């Protein structure tokens, strides 16, 4: 994954996973073919392999489009979260979106409906996006995790590791102009940092060659209306980037 990130950083936004050969993709993710993670007695497999009889990194990287990728998510058992989820939440929106919004993980409502950001936080997200002239259907919305953690607990590092190839592939299919990370969890996952959200917001970062703007999670805004103003400021950065202002680069 470090190699992938560095390659993205060196080569810039044009790099997409489909340009990688199968062997390069394997190298990137340090991946094992699905068969080999399945074989052998349980004691010879890692903890992750106990839950990964199905989808391999390579299959995810080679998924040709969103339908293929969503099918992999639907049958994914790469982490134990699939055991308790009602429905996987793949993501939704415009395939040619200029902006990809990334949240943390599905909540109860999302788990029931299979759609991202459809609860109260989602309604606020819709309004925030509209405030910069982006109706919900014009962006793409997804989460770091595609399955709901029990009782909405924080995602575990091994769950993020298991799920992140899906996000990487979603981004490489869409190739957005801006990634908008909502909340500390999405921001820290994408930017590989432990910095507080207050230290990350207000400027443009980079993930895999894509510009990343970080702001408060809509659920946090519902609890802290004082954060609405800085969120609005962050969204203005996105708007001006879409309008061709390169001063944030
Ligand atoms: N919070 C998130 O981070 N994602 C959702 O889809 C819903 C709530």
């Amino acid at each position: 994954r470090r190699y992938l990130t560095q390659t993205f950083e060196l080569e810039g936004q044009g790099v997409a996973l489909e340009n990688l050969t199968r062997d390069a993709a394997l190298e990137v993710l340090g991946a094992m073919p699905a068969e080999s993670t399945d074989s052998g007695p349980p004691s010879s497999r890692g903890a992750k392999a106990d839950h990964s009889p199905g989808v391999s990194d390579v299959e995810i990287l080679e998924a040709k489009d969103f339908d293929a990728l969503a099918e992999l998510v639907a049958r994914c058992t790469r982490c134990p979260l699939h055991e308790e989820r009602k429905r996987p939440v793949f993501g939704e929106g415009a395939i040619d979106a200029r902006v990809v919004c990334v949240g943390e993980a599905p909540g109860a409502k999302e788990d029931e409906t299979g759609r991202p950001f459809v609860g109260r936080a989602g309604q606020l997200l819709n309004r925030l996006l509209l405030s910069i002239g982006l109706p919900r259907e014009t962006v793409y919305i997804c989460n770091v995790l595609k399955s709901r953690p029990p009782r909405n607990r924080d995602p575990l590092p091994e769950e993020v590791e298991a799920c992140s190839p899906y996000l990487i592939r979603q981004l490489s299919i869409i190739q957005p102009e801006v990634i908008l990370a909502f909340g500390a969890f999405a921001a820290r996952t994408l930017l590989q940092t432990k910095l507080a959200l207050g230290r990350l917001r207000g400027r443009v970062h980079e993930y895999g060659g894509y510009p990343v703007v970080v702001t408060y999670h809509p659920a946090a805004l519902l609890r802290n209306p004082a954060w609405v103003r800085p969120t609005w400021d962050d969204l203005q950065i996105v708007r001006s980037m879409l309008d061709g202002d390169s001063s944030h680069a």
Side-chain angles (χ1 to χ4, degrees), residues 171-243:
L171 292 171
S172 72
I173 290 174
I174 296 185
Q175 301 201 21
E177 286 171 52
V178 190
I179 299 172
L180 184 47
F182 284 96
F185 186 83
R188 289 179 183 155
T189 301
L190 289 171
L191 304 176
Q192 296 285 292
T193 176
K194 290 191 160 55
L195 284 179
L197 193 123
R199 304 273 307 279
L200 295 169
R201 58 157 297 275
R203 60 202 162 97
V204 182
H205 306 263
E206 193 182 303
Y207 170 77
Y210 303 103
V212 179
V213 175
V214 167
T215 197
Y216 292 102
H217 194 287
L221 297 184
L222 291 171
R223 294 189 298 268
N224 283 292
W227 288 342
V228 170
R229 174 65 212 221
T231 302
W232 190 81
D233 290 341
D234 296 331
L235 293 175
Q236 295 311 308
I237 299 177
V238 174
R239 183 67 260 170
S240 65
M241 290 170 77
L242 297 176
D243 289 343

Side-chain angles (χ1 to χ4, degrees), residues 59 62-73 90:
E59 284 178 280
E62 291 185 346
K64 65 181 188 330
D65 55 27
F66 269 9
D67 287 345
L69 197 57
E71 272 173 34
L72 296 180
V73 169
F90 178 72

Side-chain angles (χ1 to χ4, degrees), residues 39-61:
S39 58
S43 59
S44 70
R45 300 184 234 149
K48 195 174 129 193
D50 290 342
H51 300 283
S52 57
V55 181
S56 70
D57 284 346
V58 180
E59 284 178 280
I60 298 172
L61 286 176

Side-chain angles (χ1 to χ4, degrees), residues 46-220:
K48 195 174 129 193
D50 290 342
H51 300 283
S52 57
V55 181
S56 70
D57 284 346
V58 180
E59 284 178 280
I60 298 172
L61 286 176
E62 291 185 346
K64 65 181 188 330
D65 55 27
F66 269 9
D67 287 345
L69 197 57
E71 272 173 34
L72 296 180
V73 169
R75 67 173 170 86
C76 185
T77 54
R78 289 164 61 93
C79 81
L81 291 181
H82 72 93
E83 290 163 9
E84 287 187 48
R85 77 179 179 207
K86 290 190 184 131
R87 299 177 68 164
V89 180
F90 178 72
E92 68 180 25
I95 188 87
D96 59 349
R98 301 177 73 189
V99 177
V100 171
C101 300
V102 181
E104 177 173 323
K109 198 115 190 173
E110 290 76 21
D111 188 49
E112 269 163 33
T113 58
R115 298 180 57 210
F117 279 102
V118 287
R120 277 183 72 218
Q123 284 162 20
L124 180 52
L125 173 73
N126 295 348
R127 290 208 299 277
L128 291 169
L129 291 170
L130 255 190
S131 77
I132 51 165
L134 295 175
R136 176 181 170 109
E137 57 277 10
T138 64
V139 304
Y140 192 82
I141 303 176
C142 60
N143 289 298
V144 175
L145 292 194
K146 311 304 184 207
S147 303
R148 183 191 183 200
R151 294 169 302 284
N152 298 345
R153 66 152 167 74
D154 285 348
L156 302 174
E158 55 270 31
E159 293 162 355
V160 174
E161 194 189 334
C163 223
S164 57
Y166 292 115
L167 178 59
I168 291 172
R169 187 68 187 120
Q170 283 174 308
L171 292 171
S172 72
I173 290 174
I174 296 185
Q175 301 201 21
E177 286 171 52
V178 190
I179 299 172
L180 184 47
F182 284 96
F185 186 83
R188 289 179 183 155
T189 301
L190 289 171
L191 304 176
Q192 296 285 292
T193 176
K194 290 191 160 55
L195 284 179
L197 193 123
R199 304 273 307 279
L200 295 169
R201 58 157 297 275
R203 60 202 162 97
V204 182
H205 306 263
E206 193 182 303
Y207 170 77
Y210 303 103
V212 179
V213 175
V214 167
T215 197
Y216 292 102
H217 194 287

